[in-house]
Amino acid sequence: MMGVLSHLSTLLLLLSLLPPALSHVVKKFSDVPQCQKFFLEGTTPNLPGILVGGTVQNQNRYKPICQLFNNIYRFATLYDTTNRIPVFSAYTFCGPPTDTRPHQPWMMEPQLNGENNSPEMKIMGEHSQHQAGNYDYINSIQNKGVNRGHLFPNSHAHDLDTQKSTFTLTNIVPQVVSFNNGSWREMEEHVREKLMTDCFSNNRKIKAYVVTGAVPSKSNTLNDALNNTLKNALNDRVNIPDLMWTAYCCLNKKKKWMAEAHWGRNKKVKRKTLKPETLGALEKKLSEFHQGGRVQVFPKDCPRGPKPTTPSNQPSWKNSLKIISSKVRNLYNSMMNRIG
């Protein structure tokens, strides 16, 4: 009997030393080190009322997801189970895709349906209480003029499996077709080219940290036009966001931090370029929607605004005016002396 107890104690000790089981939906992104790496310095965005100091404010509504595909963490998403759209997706850019766009069926997150479900994203049934399903997007173009819009775009994923992993509905928002296929797509292409030429890790490989998010609308939902034909459980299902935004931060060739941001209204507009903005301008814009604290997309190392266009030791316009006045006065006195 004592021998059995001894073996049992040894077994329990060994089990306690094993790493935790893979987890997809977590309480904090920092719970999974492989997931934390998608954030610069392991620091998550600060969005008052949603995510503050790495802690989710309403854990029943907002779910941190470490996106797991083929047993490897690919990116991170904070998901809003009430609006059934992501708040943001965060990923590291390591270069352009090595393959063409895959024909990947849309997947879902099993653990949003139950904590004990598989931690791997997978193809699931059409209906889910806490997340969008494929049926939410049926006839969405005809009824609402929206389609599936990636936050982590397939065109920014470096390898084939990571490309496939972006095709999860927890990484998707209903995006106006002309916006998704127009100015937003052009912006994604611009950012991809810029990251490839300007962003490097310490070992000179391409690397940048990117966060892309969506600001939900107050009342616009994907299925409200279908309420007459759908059951009550599907009414007001998936929020159509008002605003979409993205920002990146990376080390440049001179090993200095650089950052850039873009945002645009999720609506039908004439083809329009989304001009580059500063990180500080984006955080100021997001503070209109996330009030009650400081909005911070990246840690303080990332520059919030443009560098001064003139060196700090160059005289100001006031000093320049004084210098000019002094020279004019000296010239006048010199002329008067000659006349005298």
Side-chain angles (χ1 to χ4, degrees):
M1 183 68 180
M2 291 298 295
V4 173
L5 291 176
S6 177
H7 286 301
L8 181 60
S9 298
T10 302
L11 179 62
L12 291 173
L13 177 60
L14 291 174
L15 288 173
S16 68
L17 297 175
L18 290 174
L22 291 175
S23 180
H24 211 145
V25 177
V26 295
K27 291 184 178 180
K28 286 185 176 183
F29 290 113
S30 58
D31 290 345
V32 182
Q34 302 96 317
C35 183
Q36 195 175 12
K37 69 181 181 181
F38 299 118
F39 301 97
L40 177 58
E41 298 176 358
T43 303
T44 56
N46 206 76
L47 300 174
I50 297 179
L51 182 64
V52 178
T55 301
V56 174
Q57 302 301 282
N58 184 343
Q59 296 188 4
N60 290 326
R61 175 176 178 175
Y62 300 105
K63 301 294 184 180
I65 303 175
C66 294
Q67 301 281 15
L68 190 67
F69 182 75
N70 279 351
N71 208 35
I72 294 177
Y73 292 103
R74 308 290 173 172
F75 61 104
T77 298
L78 183 62
Y79 194 76
D80 181 349
T81 60
T82 298
N83 285 317
R84 298 176 182 87
I85 60 172
V87 177
F88 64 75
S89 284
Y91 59 97
T92 50
F93 180 88
C94 301
T98 55
D99 296 85
T100 58
R101 182 184 177 98
H103 297 285
Q104 173 66 34
W106 290 97
M107 297 176 287
M108 297 172 70
E109 175 47 59
Q111 289 191 339
L112 288 180
N113 293 356
E115 292 182 359
N116 295 324
N117 289 343
S118 168
E120 285 257 359
M121 62 177 74
K122 60 176 57 179
I123 302 167
M124 295 171 57
E126 292 294 309
H127 295 266
S128 175
Q129 180 181 356
H130 303 296
Q131 60 186 305
N134 273 318
Y135 69 99
D136 287 308
Y137 288 89
I138 294 175
N139 299 320
S140 64
I141 295 178
Q142 294 89 332
N143 287 290
K144 282 290 190 177
V146 298
N147 58 8
R148 297 173 177 88
H150 286 72
L151 294 192
F152 177 13
N154 158 76
S155 61
H156 283 201
H158 186 48
D159 59 83
L160 182 59
D161 272 356
T162 304
Q163 284 180 270
K164 290 180 178 180
S165 75
T166 66
F167 289 86
T168 170
L169 291 171
T170 55
N171 181 47
I172 300 300
V173 300
Q175 192 170 0
V176 172
V177 175
S178 59
F179 180 50
N180 189 13
N181 297 341
S183 57
W184 188 260
R185 180 178 180 179
E186 289 181 353
M187 178 275 299
E188 288 177 339
E189 292 173 353
H190 158 80
V191 169
R192 182 183 63 192
E193 297 305 313
K194 198 167 178 63
L195 298 182
M196 289 169 56
T197 58
D198 294 354
C199 296
F200 299 91
S201 63
N202 287 326
N203 59 3
R204 306 300 295 171
K205 292 184 178 180
I206 297 173
K207 185 175 183 180
Y209 294 88
V210 187
V211 181
T212 302
V215 176
S217 60
K218 292 184 178 180
S219 60
N220 194 11
T221 52
L222 186 60
N223 276 338
D224 58 3
L226 309 176
N227 287 347
N228 292 330
T229 59
L230 295 176
K231 297 180 180 179
N232 289 335
L234 300 180
N235 289 348
D236 301 328
R237 280 275 305 169
V238 182
N239 188 283
I240 301 175
D242 274 343
L243 185 83
M244 296 187 65
W245 57 271
T246 186
Y248 71 82
C249 186
C250 68
L251 287 172
N252 62 18
K253 294 178 181 178
K254 297 181 180 179
K255 295 187 177 181
K256 293 185 178 180
W257 290 105
M258 59 176 289
E260 185 176 284
H262 299 262
W263 69 80
R265 291 285 177 182
N266 186 29
K267 63 181 182 180
K268 187 177 181 180
V269 293
K270 292 182 180 179
R271 204 171 188 86
K272 181 181 178 183
T273 302
L274 298 178
K275 64 176 183 177
E277 303 280 359
T278 65
L279 178 59
L282 171 62
E283 292 174 339
K284 182 177 180 181
K285 183 67 178 178
L286 293 179
S287 66
E288 298 175 11
F289 307 97
H290 303 286
Q291 299 178 354
R294 176 173 55 92
V295 172
Q296 181 175 288
V297 177
F298 290 113
K300 62 181 181 179
D301 285 342
C302 298
R304 261 59 193 176
K307 294 181 179 180
T309 55
T310 56
S312 57
N313 59 352
Q314 184 170 330
S316 65
W317 69 269
K318 289 184 178 180
N319 290 333
S320 298
L321 184 59
K322 288 181 180 180
I323 293 172
I324 294 172
S325 298
S326 176
K327 288 184 177 181
V328 170
R329 186 165 53 250
N330 290 338
L331 180 60
Y332 174 78
N333 291 335
S334 177
M335 289 176 62
M336 292 303 293
N337 289 335
R338 289 179 183 180
I339 295 173

